[in-house]
Amino acid sequence: MTAGDRLIITKGVGIEGTGIIAFEKESELLDTFSKELVNDAKALLDLTSVVKDGIIANKFSKGMHDVTEGGLLGALWESSCFYNLGVEISYEKIFIPKCTKEICNYFKINPLKLISSGTMLMVVGKNNAVPLIEKLKENNIPAFDIGEFTTSKEKVLVKNGKRLEIMPPQSDELYKVI
C-alpha cells in the first residue's frame, strides 16, 4: 500500500447495524417511519455477504477489509494504522442509504461508526479505481471512491470543507440503541 492508493467501498455504510436496529426496534420505528422505510432497513441484512465483492475485486485490489464492528471509520483507522499511512476521506462521497440516515438521525448515532458487514473497503492503485468500480457496477454492486491513503499519519474526514480527525474506534454505535 502506498500514498495515493484509492479507497473504495461497496454498497454504502451502516448495512448490518441498520438491519439489526430495524428488527429489534421495529414497533418503535413504525411509530415514526413508514412500513416501507422499516422494511428497506430490514432488507439491508440481505446485503451482508462480501464474497462476490471480494471475488470481483481480487484482480484489481491491493487489499480488502470487511467493514464490521466500529463501522467505516473503525475500518479506516485500522487500515491506516496497519499500513502505517494516513487517510483522507470525503464525507460527501460516502453513500449512506436513506433508511440508514433516517434511523441513525432518530437514534442520534453516527452511521459511519455503525457495524456494516456487507460493506467492503478496498485499496486499489489510482489507475485501477475506475475499472474496479465499473466492474462492480456491472455486477450490480454499487461502489464509491471515497478517498485515498496519504504520506502523513493523519486520519482525516473532510465534511463540508472542514477537516475532522478520525478518532480510534470505540464502542460500536449499535450498542447505544440495542
Side-chain angles (χ1 to χ4, degrees):
M1 310 303 165
T2 60
D5 284 346
R6 303 303 302 170
L7 298 162
I8 310 296
I9 60 167
T10 60
K11 301 174 191 147
V13 296
I15 292 172
E16 182 179 15
T18 304
I20 291 169
I21 292 168
F23 274 101
E24 294 294 322
K25 300 288 186 173
E26 181 174 10
S27 61
E28 179 180 346
L29 291 170
L30 287 172
D31 288 341
T32 303
F33 300 107
S34 69
K35 180 83 170 154
E36 180 184 15
L37 184 129
V38 174
N39 284 340
D40 288 349
K42 289 166 43 177
L44 289 177
L45 290 177
D46 295 335
L47 303 176
T48 58
S49 174
V50 292
V51 173
K52 189 174 178 183
D53 311 38
I55 291 170
I56 293 166
N58 191 44
K59 292 184 237 176
F60 301 93
S61 180
K62 293 182 173 187
M64 296 179 248
H65 188 318
D66 185 10
V67 178
T68 55
E69 190 167 344
L72 177 62
L73 295 183
L76 289 166
W77 176 271
E78 291 169 359
S79 297
S80 175
C81 290
F82 185 79
Y83 298 118
N84 202 28
L85 293 164
V87 293
E88 185 168 314
I89 305 303
S90 172
Y91 178 84
E92 287 76 18
K93 293 183 179 180
I94 298 169
F95 177 68
I96 305 171
K98 181 181 188 286
C99 58
T100 299
K101 284 180 190 175
E102 296 287 336
I103 289 171
C104 286
N105 285 338
Y106 176 79
F107 286 109
K108 297 177 178 49
I109 59 174
N110 185 340
L112 303 185
K113 295 181 179 181
L114 181 61
I115 188 168
S116 193
S117 299
T119 303
M120 181 73 87
L121 173 63
M122 303 169 177
V123 180
V124 298
K126 57 185 165 189
N127 293 333
N128 281 331
V130 171
L132 171 58
I133 290 169
E134 288 174 354
K135 190 68 167 172
L136 288 162
K137 287 182 178 179
E138 285 172 19
N139 286 274
N140 298 314
I141 301 171
F144 310 90
D145 183 339
I146 62 167
E148 66 183 357
F149 276 127
T150 64
T151 55
S152 78
K153 302 297 183 250
E154 290 181 308
K155 297 159 187 61
V156 177
L157 174 71
V158 179
K159 183 176 182 181
N160 299 322
K162 293 182 181 175
R163 297 174 60 79
L164 307 169
E165 182 180 359
I166 298 172
M167 303 305 292
Q170 296 182 358
S171 178
D172 193 283
E173 295 287 88
L174 180 65
Y175 302 119
K176 294 178 180 177
V177 178
I178 304 297

